[in-house]
Amino acid sequence: MKIVIGQGSCGIAAGAEKVRSALLDCDIDNAEISITGCIGMCYLEPIVDIYDDGELTRLVKVSENDAPKIAEYTKTKDKSLVADLIVTDEDNEFLTKQTRIALRRCGVINPEEISAYIEADGYTALEKAVKSMTPEEVIEVIKTSGLAGRGGAGFPTWFKWNAARQSEGDEKYLICNADEGDPGAFMDRAVIESDPHNLIEGMLIGAYAIGAKHAVVYVRAEYPLAIKRLERAIKQAEEKGIIGNNIFGTDFSCDFYIKAGAGAFVCGEETALIESLEGHRGMPRLKPPFPAQSGFWRKPSNINNVETFANVGWIINNGGEAFAAMGTEGSKGTKVFAVTGKVKRSGLVEIPMGKTLRDVIFDIGGGMKTDKPFKAVQMGGPSGGCIPADLIDTVIDYKALGATGAIMGSGGMVVMDESTCMVGMAKFFLDFTAKESCGKCIHCRIGTKRMLEMLDRITKGEGKEGDIELLEELCYSIKDGALCGLGQTAPNPVLTTIKYFRDEYEAHINDKKCPAGECSDLVEYTIIADKCRGCTLCAHNCPVDAISGVVKKPHEIDQNKCIKCGKCYSSCKFNAIIKA
């Protein structure tokens, strides 16, 4: 028998390490206790998997207090002891309705042991590539697969590899972009934490294909667990002779190292990332020349993100045709999404391209957590856009999502219900991009700041006629004038919210009202006398003594004192307080 505790960042944050310590204290002699990474069911963490003669019993939302009955279950096999912890059939559908390639080993193997990866067919694709395929044949398989860069742009992977391969020079670099700066995105972190050797294998195959002897992982310093496990994986692979000289007894040699970035969003842009790698301030370079011709230290370089490399080993072992058989005509294979927000089942979802937003949000994600109507989904982070409820059946591929004004992006998917203010949502992302602008372009540096100021005024009830048109004008000016892709896409959240939710902007400006009731400056809390029981709970919770009245008599709110904190609204047990 084997007990496996999920210990990705989400699991540890939920208390998985306490669960593991409690189980170890139980002195369970008849079972091996091990760890794994995140299986993607973040909303059910901590998760404990018990394997017994090939049978899996998955326990969810486990606490350290459950350790004794889990220990007893391992001895008696009496499932009634843990019946309240066993995952439901409904929650199991979260995984069974997915198709996992990049995530195929996440939450299954021990990420800290290379032996677990090798037992799961790890490094067989690398051995196949370097022993029985030429670099050109590797690139041809990737071309057949139709694998596009999963970092957001969706550029054909084979084309970038081929360009770097054909560039002159003996010194070339393969770089992995693991910066992952989008709010709400955590796919790359989960892959590195849960299956670091898969990233290493994919990168080594890529390095072999382009002729690189050096591989670099640029990962954000805010991912300490990912860095720790990747460092351990690199050391183990070096000890096995998988990284270093004459890999698998061939002429191919490649070294690996990690660069921890300071967390600048702009370093998700490949040339800004290269500048940071060289020790400079992360700011985009003019292109051309492209990195394939002049990249890291002005040498031919190739950059892909974590998810892109995570697919490579599977493609080499199973063939490009197998990967291309999934997805749509223009978007092949699977895509990983980090589903967050007002959805019941939040976590990592990997599905074939061609599924719809409805499939992800309602079929896999379980629909709205609050049971309020679905309103919109933000795709692609600050570079993406909001897709409204009436486009819920949009197909997930690069072309279809682009037609809505959003983008696939790296895979962030923030789900919103009717309580979300779309003007506030646009303001949130503009606040992020304005702060994260590297400042090199006037359009991006100043334009995003001016847009943020306008959105701030609108959400405070200080908007005026012509603001919407001016916002649109600024958006298109920034798109046309910004140097890099991040600056050019920064206006997308504003443009899409204006396109689909213009009535909300008009309500803020003309009526000085927030239809969602989320903008505190535009909200007024009122007590309905007929419903008020005079329990005084609201008055006790008011931090500024804005509520007056006597016991068992209707109370009143002094609007001049009210700071719109909402504590009275949330504390009322009789629905006697309304906000409008």
Side-chain angles (χ1 to χ4, degrees):
M1 182 177 287
K2 188 175 183 180
I3 300 174
V4 181
I5 301 133
Q7 292 213 322
S9 287
C10 55
I12 293 172
E17 184 55 42
K18 293 179 181 178
V19 172
R20 179 171 175 267
S21 296
L23 286 169
L24 289 171
D25 288 343
C26 289
D27 295 325
I28 305 174
D29 297 328
N30 60 320
E32 173 193 352
I33 297 177
S34 182
I35 68 166
T36 187
C38 173
I39 200 164
M41 306 171 85
C42 305
Y43 68 106
L44 293 177
E45 296 284 1
I47 297 174
V48 174
D49 289 341
I50 301 176
Y51 294 90
D52 186 19
D53 293 331
E55 180 184 353
L56 167 63
T57 301
R58 174 159 291 148
L59 309 180
V60 299
K61 295 184 178 179
V62 180
S63 77
E64 62 266 35
N65 297 327
D66 296 316
K69 64 182 180 182
I70 293 174
E72 186 64 22
Y73 164 69
T74 63
K75 299 171 184 175
T76 65
K77 310 294 181 69
D78 181 3
K79 284 194 175 183
S80 66
L81 293 168
V82 292
D84 59 322
L85 300 176
I86 295 175
V87 66
T88 66
D89 291 339
E90 185 180 12
D91 282 323
N92 255 334
E93 291 180 351
F94 181 84
L95 291 178
T96 58
K97 291 183 176 180
Q98 297 184 40
T99 301
R100 295 196 152 202
I101 293 178
L103 303 179
R104 62 194 180 279
R105 299 187 190 91
C106 294
V108 178
I109 67 170
N110 186 336
E112 297 188 352
E113 298 300 332
I114 192 173
S115 58
Y117 183 73
I118 291 173
E119 288 172 10
D121 295 326
Y123 291 116
T124 56
L126 174 63
E127 185 174 14
K128 175 182 178 181
V130 300
K131 281 188 172 182
S132 62
M133 301 172 72
T134 65
E136 290 77 13
E137 287 173 338
V138 171
I139 293 173
E140 187 60 31
V141 171
I142 299 301
K143 181 179 181 180
T144 300
S145 74
L147 176 65
R150 297 302 195 239
F155 199 77
T157 301
W158 78 270
F159 191 92
K160 293 177 72 172
W161 286 17
N162 193 53
R165 175 74 190 172
Q166 293 181 349
S167 293
E168 296 182 0
D170 294 331
E171 189 175 4
K172 298 180 181 180
Y173 292 89
L174 185 100
I175 302 167
C176 174
N177 177 359
D179 189 57
E180 194 170 47
D182 287 7
F186 50 93
M187 302 76 60
D188 291 350
R189 170 180 61 76
V191 170
I192 298 175
E193 289 178 356
S194 306
D195 197 7
H197 288 282
N198 189 27
L199 171 60
I200 292 171
E201 183 170 21
M203 289 183 67
L204 286 171
I205 293 170
Y208 173 70
I210 72 170
K213 297 179 182 178
H214 311 284
V216 186
V217 182
Y218 185 96
V219 58
R220 59 194 303 107
E222 294 95 332
Y223 287 174
L225 182 61
I227 292 173
K228 175 186 174 183
R229 288 181 177 168
L230 185 58
E231 286 176 339
R232 180 182 175 92
I234 290 171
K235 183 178 180 181
Q236 291 175 340
E238 287 173 339
E239 291 171 351
K240 288 276 188 180
I242 293 169
I243 292 175
N245 296 321
N246 305 115
I247 296 172
F248 284 115
T250 67
D251 294 333
F252 173 55
S253 300
C254 187
D255 56 38
F256 249 82
Y257 71 92
I258 297 171
K259 164 69 175 179
F265 178 64
V266 72
C267 288
E269 197 279 334
E270 59 183 7
T271 60
L273 184 153
I274 290 171
E275 286 289 303
S276 179
L277 272 179
E278 294 178 356
H280 307 138
R281 182 178 177 183
M283 302 177 80
R285 296 175 179 174
L286 285 170
K287 293 187 288 188
F290 294 95
Q293 288 77 45
S294 178
F296 189 35
W297 302 125
R298 298 303 190 271
K299 303 294 184 182
S301 306
N302 180 87
I303 302 178
N304 292 112
N305 83 323
V306 175
E307 186 186 341
T308 307
F309 287 121
N311 285 295
V312 169
W314 189 95
I315 291 170
I316 294 299
N317 273 337
N318 294 275
E321 295 84 357
F323 192 81
M326 295 177 281
T328 64
E329 182 62 32
S331 301
K332 304 296 186 183
T334 62
K335 179 73 187 80
V336 180
F337 293 95
V339 183
T340 60
K342 303 292 182 67
V343 66
K344 288 180 180 176
R345 303 175 197 152
S346 58
L348 291 175
V349 173
E350 184 172 3
I351 46 112
M353 300 277 201
K355 294 284 188 179
T356 67
L357 292 173
R358 185 188 298 277
D359 292 330
V360 175
I361 297 169
F362 286 91
D363 195 26
I364 297 175
M368 298 298 97
K369 180 165 54 179
T370 59
D371 291 325
K372 293 180 180 179
F374 167 70
K375 186 173 187 177
V377 58
Q378 172 75 14
M379 296 283 295
S383 300
C386 289
I387 302 174
D390 57 2
L391 295 180
I392 187 67
D393 292 310
T394 298
V395 170
I396 296 175
D397 70 9
Y398 290 100
K399 184 177 180 180
L401 290 177
T404 69
I407 61 172
M408 183 88 68
S410 58
M413 190 180 286
V414 183
V415 181
M416 294 164 274
D417 64 19
E418 65 175 8
S419 66
T420 303
C421 173
M422 303 313 295
V423 184
M425 178 59 66
K427 176 185 168 183
F428 168 80
F429 282 108
L430 252 294
D431 180 65
F432 179 85
T433 49
K435 289 175 179 175
E436 291 291 335
S437 173
C438 74
K440 189 169 187 176
C441 311
I442 293 175
H443 289 79
C444 182
R445 182 179 73 243
I446 305 299
T448 55
K449 180 68 173 175
R450 296 291 85 85
M451 288 173 66
L452 178 60
E453 289 170 352
M454 292 178 67
L455 289 168
D456 189 53
R457 281 197 296 103
I458 292 171
T459 56
K460 288 180 177 178
E462 300 170 4
K464 54 191 177 184
E465 187 177 348
D467 276 352
I468 298 176
E469 291 74 20
L470 185 53
L471 275 172
E472 291 177 313
E473 184 180 341
L474 275 170
C475 285
Y476 291 118
S477 295
I478 294 169
K479 275 183 166 292
D480 292 340
L483 173 65
C484 78
L486 298 184
Q488 291 160 8
T489 55
N492 283 350
V494 178
L495 283 172
T496 52
T497 50
I498 290 176
K499 178 180 179 180
Y500 298 118
F501 302 97
R502 192 183 188 96
D503 58 328
E504 289 199 27
Y505 280 84
E506 291 171 346
H508 282 72
I509 295 169
N510 301 329
D511 305 328
K512 309 304 179 187
K513 295 289 185 181
C514 175
E518 196 173 48
C519 297
S520 60
D521 289 295
L522 301 181
V523 171
E524 185 174 285
Y525 292 93
T526 307
I527 295 176
I528 304 173
D530 291 345
K531 290 187 177 182
C532 181
R533 306 290 182 86
C535 69
T536 74
L537 189 60
C538 59
H540 286 302
N541 279 281
C542 180
V544 293
D545 296 323
I547 302 176
S548 60
V550 296
V551 178
K552 296 185 179 181
K553 296 290 184 181
H555 283 47
E556 292 183 350
I557 299 175
D558 186 340
Q559 299 299 335
N560 293 321
K561 288 184 177 180
C562 180
I563 61 172
K564 318 290 181 65
C565 67
K567 288 188 176 180
C568 59
Y569 179 79
S570 59
S571 64
C572 182
K573 299 181 182 299
F574 306 104
N575 296 319
I577 300 178
I578 60 171
K579 64 177 180 177

